[in-house]
């Protein structure tokens, strides 16, 4: 299984995958986890990732453009079974979902940041 994780702070995720069950799965070649720095796809001189919500409200959301660039680049090399947006308002992860996901070959996980993501990301890219 290959898992590609898109994050604004990918260095925070490297530690958990180098220990315990995840480490053993990687060593056996059963699991390959790759982190991708979303800032690499940011806009402008400062690699901007966030913008104000168009519908109003407090807080910033991640823009669609950097996410779209990253996902499209990943899709050039392989097809993905699922593109999952990790968010508190999503489906609760449980054993049934874990069993379903374990049957997949390639998964993208999009880590939430700021107040959320531009809703077009959910409409066009997210499968779960």
């Amino acid at each position: 299984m290959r898992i590609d994780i898109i994050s604004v702070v990918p260095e925070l995720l490297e530690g958990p995958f180098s220990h315990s069950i995840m480490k053993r799965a990687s060593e056996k070649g059963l699991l390959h986890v790759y982190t991708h720095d979303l800032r690499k796809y940011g806009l402008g001189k400062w690699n901007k990732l966030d913008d104000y919500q168009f519908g109003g409200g407090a807080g910033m959301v991640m823009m669609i453009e950097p996410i779209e660039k990253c996902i499209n680049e990943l899709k050039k090399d392989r097809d993905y079974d699922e593109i999952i947006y990790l968010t508190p308002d999503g489906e609760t992860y449980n054993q049934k979902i874990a069993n379903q996901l374990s049957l997949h070959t390639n998964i993208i996980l999009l880590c939430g940041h700021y107040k959320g993501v531009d809703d077009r990301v959910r409409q066009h890219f997210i499968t779960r």
Side-chain angles (χ1 to χ4, degrees):
M1 172 184 276
R2 177 186 170 112
I3 301 174
D4 288 282
I5 303 173
I6 302 170
S7 175
V8 176
V9 285
E11 55 276 357
L12 291 177
L13 303 170
E14 293 168 4
F17 295 106
S18 60
H19 299 285
S20 192
I21 296 170
M22 303 299 266
K23 180 181 178 183
R24 290 193 300 273
S26 293
E27 289 172 348
K28 292 180 181 179
L30 301 173
L31 176 67
H32 304 282
V33 178
Y34 300 92
T35 57
H36 304 277
D37 187 354
L38 189 59
R39 194 152 307 275
K40 175 181 169 188
Y41 303 93
L43 304 179
K45 180 180 176 181
W46 306 107
N47 296 328
K48 185 177 177 183
L49 301 174
D50 59 340
D51 200 359
Y52 294 103
Q53 299 180 53
F54 288 106
M60 306 286 271
V61 295
M62 292 193 303
M63 295 186 289
I64 188 172
E65 294 86 352
I67 296 169
E68 178 183 32
K69 285 181 194 176
C70 184
I71 289 174
N72 287 339
E73 186 173 305
L74 291 172
K75 283 184 166 184
K76 286 179 186 176
D77 297 331
R78 66 192 44 79
D79 291 324
Y80 287 91
D81 302 306
E82 295 270 1
I83 300 176
I84 302 168
Y85 173 49
L86 304 174
T87 178
D89 69 342
E91 192 176 4
T92 302
Y93 186 72
N94 58 33
Q95 190 62 48
K96 180 181 176 186
I97 293 171
N99 292 341
Q100 292 170 355
L101 294 178
S102 72
L103 301 174
H104 294 319
T105 307
N106 299 306
I107 298 173
I108 294 176
L109 300 177
L110 174 61
C111 297
H113 199 69
Y114 304 107
K115 185 81 171 169
V117 296
D118 185 313
D119 199 49
R120 294 174 291 176
V121 172
R122 287 182 169 196
Q123 294 170 6
H124 298 293
F125 297 106
I126 304 304
T127 59
R128 184 180 285 242

